Amino acid sequence: MNSRTNRRLKWIRQLVPAIWLLLLAACTTPPRTTLPQYSALPATERPSPNFGARRPNFVILHHTADDAAEDSLRTLTNPKLEVSSHYLIARDGTLYYLVDELARAWHAGESYWGGTTDLNSASIGIELDNNGKEPFAEPMIESLLVLLDDLKRRYKIPAANFLGHGDVIPGRKVDPSRLFPWQRLAERGFGVWCNPPYAPATSRDDALLLAALGYDVTRMDATRAAFRRHYLANESTAPLTDNERALLQCLIARKRD
């Protein structure tokens, strides 16, 4: 065996342990996952597998107040306007997906329902292509029902948590309009509804009843109008009648079912 061969064999013998160490490390060290960086503070990463995606628990419905879906799309995708929704449904039923369902879209603003504030952080926002003065197109409603069924099934959203923009911001927002078919949605499990006759109300305290359903009652006139818009297709701000209080009491019971 010549000297060149001897040197080659010696080099191989020296290299083999290093190769084995590298192979062993590859088998025993878990792959490193880099965490997204949000803070400028120095920190040592120790990624944990113990987490899950945030789950939306509400659906908030809006009407666009525009006359065409393209106008709304330009608004909802304009970075200068800082307004968005997860979905837009056009009059012809076309469904537009705009924001990741697990991300926080900017559609509800300063809002409140049943003790939950900042509905943007807990909801899916859906814009409906409607100017607020017209009936809601049938292809749009059919597409909406399919979408709501999908969202409810995947996220297990309670029936009582399908709401209107006007419900969560009484006074400042009035969408969707009084022409929206809430009863039809509720019959499919997207909202609560009661038909007369109702059992007599045991309370005459409007604020107590409206708050029990979920409304913000700091502006009672606006809240009464929001309640009536959703359940009675009118927007009167007058004190509730005994029959309306009975309706409210029925809705509260349905919400708790």
Side-chain angles (χ1 to χ4, degrees):
M1 189 178 294
N2 59 39
S3 59
R4 179 179 295 177
T5 300
N6 285 334
R7 287 196 299 271
R8 187 173 296 168
L9 288 171
K10 183 178 180 181
W11 178 78
I12 291 173
R13 291 190 191 102
Q14 293 172 341
L15 186 61
V16 166
I19 293 173
W20 276 109
L21 286 173
L22 288 173
L23 290 172
L24 182 63
C27 293
T28 59
T29 303
R32 180 176 178 79
T33 301
T34 300
L35 297 173
Q37 298 299 311
Y38 300 111
S39 172
L41 299 175
T44 301
E45 289 189 19
R46 291 293 297 273
S48 171
N50 305 326
F51 64 91
R54 295 182 180 180
R55 181 174 65 86
N57 196 43
F58 293 85
V59 171
I60 308 299
L61 301 177
H62 309 251
H63 68 238
T64 61
D66 289 324
D67 290 318
E70 284 300 323
D71 295 336
S72 302
L73 286 169
R74 280 191 289 271
T75 298
L76 294 168
T77 58
N78 186 334
K80 295 181 180 179
L81 298 180
E82 297 187 342
V83 61
S84 61
S85 65
H86 295 91
Y87 290 98
L88 167 70
I89 304 179
R91 287 171 170 82
D92 65 2
T94 301
L95 178 64
Y96 295 93
Y97 186 25
L98 307 177
V99 175
D100 181 344
E101 288 179 359
L102 298 181
R104 183 179 183 274
W106 303 334
H107 62 97
E110 295 182 11
S111 48
Y112 174 95
W113 186 259
T116 298
T117 58
D118 184 19
L119 270 296
N120 277 343
S121 296
S123 67
I124 298 287
I126 302 173
E127 289 278 357
L128 302 172
D129 180 22
N130 180 284
N131 63 19
K133 302 174 184 177
E134 60 183 322
F136 288 78
E138 181 61 23
M140 174 198 300
I141 297 301
E142 291 176 357
S143 183
L144 173 63
L145 289 170
V146 173
L147 174 59
L148 295 183
D149 184 64
D150 180 59
L151 293 171
K152 183 177 183 180
R153 175 181 51 80
R154 287 190 290 111
Y155 295 118
K156 297 179 172 43
I157 299 173
N161 288 1
F162 291 81
L163 304 165
H165 199 191
D167 293 316
V168 300
I169 315 179
R172 288 198 297 115
K173 300 296 179 180
V174 296
D175 56 311
S177 75
R178 60 185 179 82
L179 300 175
F180 187 72
W182 284 111
Q183 180 176 357
R184 182 174 172 185
L185 265 66
E187 289 170 350
R188 293 281 296 270
F190 315 123
V192 293
W193 196 264
C194 289
N195 290 311
Y198 318 117
T202 57
S203 172
R204 296 178 60 85
D205 187 329
D206 291 3
L208 180 66
L209 291 167
L210 289 164
L213 186 58
Y215 284 101
D216 178 357
V217 294
T218 55
R219 299 174 58 195
M220 280 298 298
D221 285 354
T223 301
R224 291 188 190 102
F227 162 70
R228 288 183 171 117
R229 182 185 312 114
H230 187 132
Y231 294 101
L232 297 165
N234 76 74
E235 298 173 278
S236 169
T237 61
L240 300 181
T241 66
D242 286 340
N243 194 56
E244 289 170 336
R245 295 185 186 105
L247 166 59
L248 256 173
Q249 191 166 281
C250 177
L251 293 169
I252 293 163
R254 290 283 172 87
K255 177 182 176 180
R256 292 170 178 168
D257 288 345

